[in-house]
Amino acid sequence: MTAQEHAEPQILIVEDEPKIARLVADYLESSGFATRHLDHGDAVLPWLAEVQQASQGPALVLLDLMLPGTDGLTLCREIRQRWPALAVIMLTARVEEVDRLLGLELGADDYICKPFSPREVVARVKAVLRRSQAADQPASGEASDLVLDEEGWRALADGQDLGLTAVEFQLLKVMMHAPGRIFSRDQLMDHMYRDHRIVSERTVDSHVKKLRRKISDVWPEREVIRSVYGVGYKYQPEA
Ligand code: CA
């Protein structure tokens, strides 16, 4: 094994408030991570380009939304385009931005609202890293036993037809194509109906509820469609 393989996973903290950055770094380091701190938006892409080139890039970026120089939204979009496998957790005091952060537009892996506890940050970092490592592995039986038959508009769980309606199938398909990504009700509506002025968010909830019930009939102990309070839903096959 090389020294690289032994190295602790590195977390890049992009945060212009030194106290917050220090606190988060302390907690991450005592949980076995290495950290690197940048306090200016303009420094992020050049630094990432350099370390990625040398294959010494971070495992995850904790990215503040409001920064001097290039802002967090722009940075998140750029990171997604240039290094799609790099995990990003946004730090934000603006709850109203959450939909955009996690949506198709920016595609952050998760977000944490300020003020937060450093313990929460560590827990989220670990969860996102587990998820992205699982996504890198070849599909295990665990994750691949829910199968979409797109021609037949059927979903099979352990070979058993779930008997989904067209709308339920469509919902599952959209979410399964981006495991771990949170979809707002609005985004799900866009995929379900051509004219979504006629449906309400409650309609989405009720279809998701039926979909989840059909899945849990086969897998009572597993929850593959999760609801994310105040935001929407996601497909998350692993525990
Ligand atoms: Ca800030």
Side-chain angles (χ1 to χ4, degrees):
M1 265 195 202
T2 63
Q4 179 83 30
E5 283 167 292
H6 278 295
E8 300 152 324
Q10 189 190 44
I11 310 299
L12 171 62
I13 302 165
V14 184
E15 167 65 68
D16 58 319
E17 285 172 68
K19 268 190 186 163
I20 295 182
R22 191 63 252 159
L23 186 67
V24 170
D26 283 349
Y27 270 78
L28 284 169
E29 282 164 19
S30 62
S31 307
F33 294 100
T35 65
R36 170 76 198 223
H37 174 220
L38 296 174
D39 62 3
H40 197 286
D42 292 350
V44 176
L45 296 173
W47 185 81
L48 278 174
E50 199 184 314
V51 293
Q52 293 280 4
Q53 179 91 8
S55 304
Q56 288 166 347
L60 182 147
V61 185
L62 276 173
L63 184 56
D64 187 24
L65 186 66
M66 305 288 273
L67 290 164
T70 316
D71 66 276
L73 293 180
T74 307
L75 288 171
C76 183
R77 195 179 293 123
E78 282 287 317
I79 291 171
R80 268 291 156 271
Q81 257 168 29
R82 294 167 66 174
W83 304 287
L86 181 55
V88 178
I89 298 180
M90 299 291 304
L91 304 174
T92 176
R94 288 152 64 181
V95 182
E96 66 275 18
E97 290 280 4
V98 163
D99 256 14
R100 277 179 71 203
L101 298 181
L102 298 170
L104 300 169
E105 190 189 346
L106 281 164
D109 294 279
D110 203 353
Y111 70 96
I112 300 171
C113 284
K114 290 180 171 183
F116 49 72
S117 82
R119 260 179 249 278
E120 183 192 359
V121 175
V122 172
R124 299 286 196 96
V125 164
K126 286 183 176 170
V128 167
L129 286 180
R130 257 199 315 272
R131 225 156 73 195
S132 57
Q133 277 152 12
D136 285 346
Q137 318 244 311
S140 64
E142 176 90 9
S144 61
D145 46 15
L146 182 59
V147 175
L148 288 180
D149 165 14
E150 303 206 8
E151 304 262 289
W153 287 65
R154 293 186 312 161
L156 307 169
D158 290 336
Q160 226 177 301
D161 187 346
L162 292 176
L164 303 184
T165 64
V167 168
E168 290 157 7
F169 176 82
Q170 194 66 16
L171 276 171
L172 181 61
K173 183 175 143 185
V174 167
M175 287 189 272
M176 274 183 79
H177 280 177
R181 180 179 295 167
I182 301 171
F183 291 89
S184 68
R185 289 170 178 81
D186 224 36
Q187 288 171 333
L188 290 173
M189 274 193 265
D190 281 343
H191 289 285
M192 287 157 56
Y193 304 99
R194 300 195 66 166
D195 181 359
H196 70 63
R197 284 170 303 177
I198 54 165
V199 283
S200 70
E201 301 203 332
R202 278 170 196 271
T203 318
V204 176
D205 288 336
S206 100
H207 287 300
V208 171
K209 197 170 160 192
K210 286 178 200 152
L211 170 62
R212 293 170 90 182
R213 194 181 303 139
K214 288 177 182 179
I215 297 172
S216 70
D217 282 348
V218 181
W219 288 330
E221 74 291 358
R222 277 174 62 188
E223 196 188 8
V224 296
I225 307 284
R226 318 249 171 119
S227 81
V228 181
Y229 183 74
V231 187
Y233 297 98
K234 64 178 173 178
Y235 170 74
Q236 184 92 36
E238 73 275 15

